[in-house]
Amino acid sequence: GDRVRMGDVAASADVYIRSMATRGNLGGLAGATRDAISVLGAVGRDWVVVETVGVGQVETDIAGAADTTLVVVNPGWGDAIQANKAGLMEIADVFVVNKADRVGAHDTVADLEAMLNLTGPNPAGHARWRAPVVATVGTTGDGAARLVDAIEAHSAHQRECGELARRRVSQRAERLTEVAGLRLKRSLDAVLDTDWGRSLRLEV
């Protein structure tokens, strides 16, 4: 989160905030974000909130790292078709229309609801989760309680249908693949940094 705008929260003894630069890492998350989530969960933090640098068509790693993914949009968010292309409809477990006190908020909520109504049946056979659309006003806290209820409802749904267990298995597999890939890259870089490796690169 932005510490400048979260001064009161950041000063609380019950809240820990850690800013992490992506350092060119693709996907919208820092390379160590998954490990940070694991550590914070292991020390007993009730909620671990991850804010991405923003998502596009390929910057959706958060969906594989989090149990519940929130997509936050503002009134006048733009062409709904473009947003759909960006993959937001696929990764969102909860939609949040923030700054809902502004003109156009009602239309944005209606647009999202209309797109969600086009979602077909779940091919996997288990109960499909329909992402709720929650209107909030960050400056006043309006809608915050409804947002917490939506997140908790999604968590309960995942436990009941077994989706949470499936996500955890997938998260561990993705992290293992990621770590293995990083180690392989480091080993390859070390080889390419030798005289033989540099000559090999010149030949290629």
Side-chain angles (χ1 to χ4, degrees):
D2 188 333
R3 295 188 186 190
V4 175
R5 292 178 292 179
M6 296 176 63
D8 294 340
V9 176
S12 171
D14 296 325
V15 177
Y16 173 74
I17 299 177
R18 178 72 168 97
S19 300
M20 303 175 69
T22 59
R23 302 184 187 279
N25 192 58
L26 300 178
L29 298 177
T33 298
R34 292 176 189 266
D35 292 337
I37 293 171
S38 297
V39 169
L40 291 171
V43 299
R45 291 289 176 175
D46 296 325
W47 291 70
V48 179
V49 180
V50 180
E51 180 186 10
T52 71
V53 297
V55 296
Q57 287 181 313
V58 296
E59 297 167 327
T60 54
D61 282 1
I62 186 61
D67 294 333
T68 299
T69 301
L70 278 64
V71 171
V72 183
V73 299
N74 296 324
W77 64 320
D79 190 346
I81 296 177
Q82 290 301 318
N84 194 21
K85 286 181 180 179
L88 298 185
M89 300 301 292
E90 287 75 18
I91 71 168
D93 297 309
V94 178
F95 280 102
V96 183
V97 179
N98 195 32
K99 303 180 181 178
D101 54 342
R102 293 188 176 182
V103 175
H106 178 77
D107 292 338
T108 300
V109 171
D111 286 345
L112 287 169
E113 293 284 5
M115 284 191 291
L116 288 167
N117 288 336
L118 298 176
T119 304
N122 190 336
H126 39 262
R128 176 183 288 279
W129 170 259
R130 186 186 188 280
V133 182
V134 182
T136 64
V137 181
T139 55
T140 64
D142 185 47
R146 293 190 298 274
L147 178 55
V148 171
D149 288 343
I151 295 170
E152 291 181 337
H154 180 251
S155 179
H157 169 82
Q158 288 189 102
R159 289 194 298 270
E160 291 170 4
C161 72
E163 178 61 24
L164 182 60
R166 285 189 287 272
R167 282 200 186 202
R168 292 292 170 80
V169 170
S170 177
Q171 288 166 1
R172 288 193 291 268
E174 287 183 16
R175 183 56 182 151
L176 179 60
T177 301
E178 186 178 36
V179 170
L182 288 172
R183 291 191 176 184
L184 180 60
K185 182 180 182 302
R186 288 172 187 162
S187 298
L188 181 59
D189 287 343
V191 171
L192 293 176
D193 197 39
T194 63
D195 291 339
W196 177 82
R198 284 189 287 271
S199 65
L200 179 64
R201 282 187 293 181
L202 288 174
E203 291 177 8
V204 173

